[in-house]
Amino acid sequence: MPLKAFRGPKVWLWRWRRNPLKRRADVVEAWVVLGACLLTVLAGVLAGLAAAGSVEHGLARERATWRPTVARVVAQVPGKSPAHSSHASAGERIWAEVRWTVSDGSAHTGRTRVEPGSKPGTPVTVWTDPRGHLVSRPATASEAAFRSTLIGLLVGASTAAVPFVAGLAVRSRLEHRRMEAWDAEWARLGPQWGRTV
């Protein structure tokens, strides 16, 4: 016989209905479940939106302040240029030192990837921050939207897991205490069932 036959039909919100058999533990469990559900949703949504907004704002600031700059290769780069080598794969680049000048006239040097076989003075486009330091290319608006959405979802799900797991732990503890109470009650009343009146 299926287990559902022993449990009877499922009644929604039974812990909130008036019932003479309802115990205090049932009411406490109902509030724990409701509180855990609300906290799970609220914490997940708020944390996810805050994280996505923060990432989006940071990436927008990078797009607004980071600028492309023309740098020049400092020394001969090893290897043959892709035009002269049949073995060089398309897009293969080698780390090399480059030099560039920022708006205040100061010269900076750093390392970036350039074409193999590049000669000294070969122009290379690099991205710099307002202080003239090398940075990576900033994310485009669509890349930023995707990244902020993904991070918002991850942060929201991680944050929502905390009240969800806490609610499960409290509910499990309440269930354990209820089973102990039933065992104690059965130990007290069970032997009386066999007696005849």
Side-chain angles (χ1 to χ4, degrees), residues 27-105:
V27 175
V28 171
E29 185 177 348
W31 283 107
V32 166
V33 169
L34 179 63
C37 287
L38 289 176
L39 278 175
T40 297
V41 172
L42 283 175
V45 168
L46 292 177
L49 289 175
S54 176
V55 170
E56 180 71 38
H57 176 71
L59 294 176
R61 189 176 66 244
E62 289 177 1
R63 277 195 310 277
T65 58
W66 292 2
R67 295 284 178 250
T69 304
V70 175
R72 304 278 176 183
V73 175
V74 173
Q76 178 69 39
V77 178
K80 296 182 180 178
S81 64
H84 298 97
S85 174
S86 58
H87 301 292
S89 60
E92 179 185 354
R93 292 182 164 280
I94 297 175
W95 285 101
E97 189 171 358
V98 294
R99 179 177 290 122
W100 67 97
T101 305
V102 294
S103 56
D104 66 1

Side-chain angles (χ1 to χ4, degrees), residues 112-149:
T112 189
R113 288 187 177 272
V114 299
E115 294 285 340
S118 295
K119 296 178 180 177
T122 303
V124 179
T125 301
V126 296
W127 288 84
T128 58
D129 64 12
R131 293 178 296 178
H133 299 137
L134 278 182
V135 292
S136 59
R137 180 184 63 82
T140 64
S142 59
E143 290 171 343
F146 176 76
R147 195 179 302 176
S148 62
T149 301

